[in-house]
Amino acid sequence: MSTKPHPDFLLAGRIAARVMSDIVKDVRPGIKVLRVCMLAEKKILEYGASGIAFPCNVSINEEAAHYTSPPADKRVLPDKGLVKVDLGAHVNGYLSDTAVTVDLDGSYEKYVFAAKEALNAAIDTIRPGVRLGEVGAVIERTIKRSGLRPVHQLSGHQLKPWILHAGKSVPNISAAKSPEFLVGEMYAVEPFATNGNGTIRHSMVSYIYSNDLKNKKKLDRSAMQVRNIARQRFGTLPWASRWLHHLKGTADIDTAIKNLERVGAVRGYPVLIEGKNGLVSQFEHSIFVGHEGCIVSTRRNVE
Ligand code: MN
Ligand code: MN
């Protein structure tokens, strides 16, 4: 294992950090969610990424993750609440994955503080030989200190080239038996804090998908065409239904995607809602495990 982060990993992180710094200025009441998603995705490419690692997520209040705008989304940011912006770039397959929470009117500072502190504490703890569950315990303890609970049904994850959720998971609560962080590994660490019970339920809708590249099921021509284009453009990385809507009419694309999902050629990622509809905050950084500890690739200038 390399003991130094790959330059493309660092670049993917720097690009995501720069985009995030720009984007948070637009995250305010009355702004369209679609505008935030599109601006973020455009900037990722403008700033020199090979591609977008996954659709920009803009998840509000009890939505913990996985909301990205469907095509022609009219949704606007509310006057008050917690907005999680989660985005990432790739450079030759090396991934970044980073998230911040914006408190739209300053009512929920405690939530922002709790998740941010937990991420910082996790980063300070991670080094080779530390167990993933120990980091979960640090996250849990830090969030509880603010009188909130971690969303224990969500976790951080290892990053590998072209694979966003690879290998080991970084829990947001303590775990009895867990593997160790090893030199040379890349991870996305993402504590979530809530006033709910920390569980997650799936909403009825998905706007984010990924391909099962091995699936060989035959479908009608329209579905096969969408499958082939999605495989060719996105490979192993997640994509938004919105990204394919220029291909044909909205109804056709959605039908094709539904058919592909039914036979397992694509997997949908439903919007994830906190179990008790609690408010949710999240912060996330991508890190490399170096001999001396974490090297954070997605650190922003203001941090
Ligand atoms: Mn993320
Ligand atoms: Mn992540």
Side-chain angles (χ1 to χ4, degrees):
M1 255 315 168
S2 173
T3 59
K4 272 209 181 106
H6 193 284
D8 290 345
F9 174 74
L10 296 177
L11 181 55
R14 223 154 39 230
I15 290 166
R18 240 185 107 193
V19 173
M20 189 65 90
S21 298
D22 288 0
I23 282 302
V24 292
K25 296 173 197 149
D26 285 290
V27 178
R28 42 177 206 270
I31 298 289
K32 279 197 174 132
V33 172
L34 179 60
R35 184 189 142 91
V36 177
C37 293
M38 287 179 67
L39 203 60
E41 291 163 6
K42 189 177 93 172
K43 278 174 182 276
I44 287 169
L45 299 175
E46 271 175 17
Y47 291 169
S50 314
I52 299 163
F54 54 88
C56 176
N57 292 209
V58 179
S59 310
I60 304 173
N61 292 336
E62 72 277 11
E63 294 168 352
H66 294 173
Y67 186 93
T68 195
S69 278
D73 190 11
K74 296 278 181 286
R75 191 179 200 190
V76 295
L77 297 181
D79 291 336
K80 178 182 165 109
L82 292 173
V83 182
K84 281 80 66 190
V85 179
D86 192 335
L87 57 84
H90 85 80
V91 175
N92 298 317
Y94 282 90
L95 299 166
S96 57
D97 181 0
T98 186
V100 303
T101 297
V102 177
D103 175 7
L104 290 171
D105 82 336
S107 297
Y108 302 118
E109 273 176 28
K110 180 172 77 172
Y111 295 76
V112 172
F113 178 82
K116 193 187 279 180
E117 282 288 296
L119 177 56
N120 288 335
I123 287 169
D124 289 344
T125 307
I126 295 170
R127 50 171 51 247
V130 168
R131 293 188 182 280
L132 279 75
E134 295 176 51
V135 172
V138 165
I139 289 171
E140 178 177 14
R141 203 183 315 131
T142 308
I143 289 174
K144 284 183 171 169
R145 218 183 286 139
S146 292
L148 295 169
R149 268 185 289 278
V151 178
H152 62 270
Q153 291 188 346
L154 294 177
S155 53
H157 47 97
Q158 216 178 329
L159 297 166
K160 288 182 183 170
W162 301 109
I163 309 173
L164 186 63
H165 289 227
K168 305 181 213 170
S169 295
V170 187
N172 285 323
I173 51 164
S174 65
K177 275 189 181 167
S178 62
E180 294 176 0
F181 287 94
L182 303 176
V183 174
E185 290 177 332
M186 299 170 282
Y187 286 89
V189 184
E190 48 184 317
F192 292 80
T194 185
N195 63 342
N197 66 5
T199 63
I200 284 295
R201 61 192 168 83
H202 291 189
S203 82
M204 298 301 288
V205 292
S206 303
Y207 304 121
I208 301 175
Y209 295 88
S210 68
N211 303 316
D212 178 346
L213 297 171
K214 287 183 218 126
N215 187 288
K216 289 193 176 72
K217 291 272 165 54
K218 283 247 182 311
L219 283 167
D220 62 90
R221 238 175 68 177
S222 171
M224 297 299 261
Q225 191 193 4
V226 170
R227 189 200 71 180
N228 291 340
I229 290 170
R231 284 183 176 178
Q232 193 186 336
R233 287 200 197 159
F234 316 124
T236 54
L237 297 176
W239 45 273
S241 52
R242 170 167 50 83
W243 292 352
L244 293 176
H245 269 264
H246 58 281
L247 294 176
K248 359 173 137 225
T250 297
D252 289 352
I253 282 285
D254 287 340
T255 305
I257 293 173
K258 279 283 157 281
N259 288 335
L260 291 168
E261 193 178 6
R262 190 165 43 78
V263 301
V266 305
R267 174 184 166 197
Y269 295 84
V271 178
L272 301 176
I273 316 281
E274 205 284 328
K276 294 278 178 210
N277 292 325
L279 288 168
V280 178
S281 60
Q282 171 207 19
F283 278 83
E284 180 175 23
H285 272 312
S286 298
I287 64 115
F288 175 89
V289 184
H291 274 302
E292 313 292 318
C294 273
I295 296 169
V296 179
S297 69
T298 48
R299 190 82 74 189
R300 298 179 301 283
N301 285 335
V302 294
E303 282 184 295

